Amino acid sequence: MEKIPFYRDTRYISILLQVIFLVLVVGALVWLGLNMLHSLEKQNLSFSFSFLTGSAGFQISEGPLFDPAESYLKAFWVGIVNTLRVGLTGIVLATFLGFMIGISRLSSNWLVNRLAFFYVEFFRNTPLLVQIFFFYIAVVLQLPAAKQGYNIDGWFYLSNAGMTIPGLIPNGNSWTYVLLLIASVVGSVFLTRAIKNNLIGFLLPLVVAIAGWTILKPFGIDHPVLGNFRVTGGSTLSAEFTALLVALVLYTSAFTGEIVRGAIQAIDKGQWEAARSLGLNYGQTLQLVIVPQALRILIPPMGNQYLNLIKNSSLAVAIAYPDVFNVASTAGNQSGNNLQAMTIILLVYLTISLIISFLINLYNRSFNIQGAR
């Protein structure tokens, strides 16, 4: 058999093309980096992060306690916490609301079906930034003052200053309770794989959470109290946080609702017929037969929506909510280190997105393994 010259061998050609492409990409990055450093040098600037240890000199109105005398690094940390507060809360609420909307879109009740359809079309087809401004200016800021606001005495207050709910006061058992919850979640994953029962895997952390709360009493409850001019105590969610969260949840749930609807409709009609032949009603069929199978279809696109929600939260700067983008922009402008501040923003959002992607892929893989078995 005649030996093929290496320059005609597709294996060598494929490797050579990849090496050439990699060299070009690395070369372009090095050129851009050197060009950036040269431009900074001409302006007597350097690409250094030493400014992070300096005093921030500005206030942050929300999140963990922050003193202007503290460092820029602490300010960035407060911004990251605020981003995670609105982002993770939004993910949970958008998931639940999205499931409700998706199921409602399939309802045989004409009114429920049409309302869900209008909801999806309205929120999905209007810009998120416009929705944020609307809920902030036309809704939240138009609410009455605290004295005349809406309330459930001792539990919930809603006014133009934001929303106040009961706060948690940690004690000596708090960390024990948190570690117990983490252990129960990890244990439920292995238990679900071992006995192949998603319901038991879901109930284990719930039972541990309730039992641990009853026995350990890990947190005290700080109830909000209406004073002469404002609400004291509890945990206050500012007007900016409230408007941003509502807009993110409503906007994202319109997309997740369509994902849920599509995933349910992708399940073979024979599954519905088989469930009805066993005497299951509509709710039982969804809970026990359809949704567990639909999860394998909807988890990847739902993960994309979670990533979008986290990145969309950067629009908080429009209404002055102090997320990491807002804090980094202020720090960069004040210290003259805008490039470094933007680099930190990129790294923060990249890290959060990669962690969410990893968890979604891990969860999706567990479903695929169970399906293969």
Side-chain angles (χ1 to χ4, degrees), residues 37-353:
L37 293 175
H38 179 67
S39 299
L40 290 173
E41 186 179 346
K42 288 173 63 176
Q43 301 175 53
N44 294 322
L45 299 173
S46 63
F47 190 71
S48 170
F49 292 91
S50 58
F51 77 97
L52 292 175
T53 59
S55 177
F58 61 88
Q59 293 184 337
I60 300 178
S61 59
E62 191 164 350
L65 293 177
F66 179 77
D67 188 276
E70 294 184 277
S71 67
Y72 284 110
L73 186 62
K74 176 67 180 296
F76 275 101
W77 169 247
V78 173
I80 293 171
V81 170
N82 285 339
T83 294
L84 292 175
R85 281 177 66 209
V86 72
L88 298 181
T89 306
I91 285 174
V92 173
L93 296 178
T95 300
F96 281 106
L97 185 56
F99 263 91
M100 293 175 59
I101 296 299
I103 293 172
S104 298
R105 289 277 283 113
L106 300 171
S107 174
S108 58
N109 185 299
W110 183 88
L111 180 60
V112 172
N113 185 294
R114 291 298 89 188
L115 285 175
F117 172 79
F118 175 78
Y119 176 95
V120 169
E121 294 304 316
F122 179 81
F123 286 106
R124 189 174 60 170
N125 294 300
T126 52
L128 176 57
L129 185 59
V130 174
Q131 294 182 33
I132 292 173
F133 276 125
F134 174 80
F135 286 111
Y136 182 59
I137 298 172
V139 178
V140 177
L141 294 185
Q142 301 306 315
L143 292 171
K147 197 71 174 177
Q148 294 81 33
Y150 307 101
N151 70 84
I152 300 175
D153 193 36
W155 291 97
F156 174 87
Y157 289 90
L158 180 63
S159 67
N160 57 11
M163 187 185 336
T164 305
I165 58 177
L168 298 178
I169 305 174
N171 57 38
N173 293 327
S174 299
W175 277 110
T176 303
Y177 181 71
V178 171
L179 293 175
L180 192 63
L181 286 181
I182 295 174
S184 69
V185 171
V186 174
S188 71
V189 173
F190 289 102
L191 184 62
T192 300
R193 292 185 177 182
I195 65 177
K196 302 175 184 177
N197 191 316
N198 291 329
L199 182 60
I200 293 179
F202 170 76
L203 289 177
L204 177 62
L206 185 62
V207 171
V208 170
I210 295 173
W213 184 278
T214 304
I215 297 171
L216 296 176
K217 295 180 172 56
F219 297 95
I221 305 296
D222 182 19
H223 292 278
V225 178
L226 180 61
N228 292 329
F229 302 103
R230 63 187 182 93
V231 178
T232 58
S235 179
T236 299
L237 310 176
S238 69
E240 293 77 18
F241 177 92
T242 303
L244 178 65
L245 180 63
V246 170
L248 286 173
V249 169
L250 296 181
Y251 181 79
T252 306
S253 63
F255 290 91
T256 58
E258 285 298 276
I259 292 171
V260 171
R261 180 184 65 84
I264 291 175
Q265 288 184 321
I267 303 300
D268 190 86
K269 290 183 179 180
Q271 298 293 314
W272 291 90
E273 295 168 355
R276 280 195 291 269
S277 70
L278 293 174
L280 300 180
N281 60 31
Y282 182 79
Q284 292 171 327
T285 301
L286 277 176
Q287 178 185 353
L288 302 175
V289 180
I290 303 302
V291 171
Q293 296 182 68
L295 285 175
R296 295 192 184 98
I297 301 172
L298 65 83
I299 286 176
M302 287 285 277
N304 291 335
Q305 292 306 316
Y306 296 159
L307 297 178
N308 288 337
L309 190 150
I310 290 291
K311 290 179 286 189
N312 286 338
S313 68
S314 61
L315 293 173
V317 69
I319 56 173
Y321 175 72
D323 72 326
V324 66
F325 186 87
N326 192 346
V327 171
S329 299
T330 303
N333 290 332
Q334 184 165 296
S335 65
N337 293 277
N338 288 294
L339 184 59
Q340 293 90 320
M342 291 300 108
T343 302
I344 292 174
I345 292 173
L346 289 173
L347 292 175
V348 167
Y349 282 109
L350 177 63
T351 302
I352 295 173
S353 297

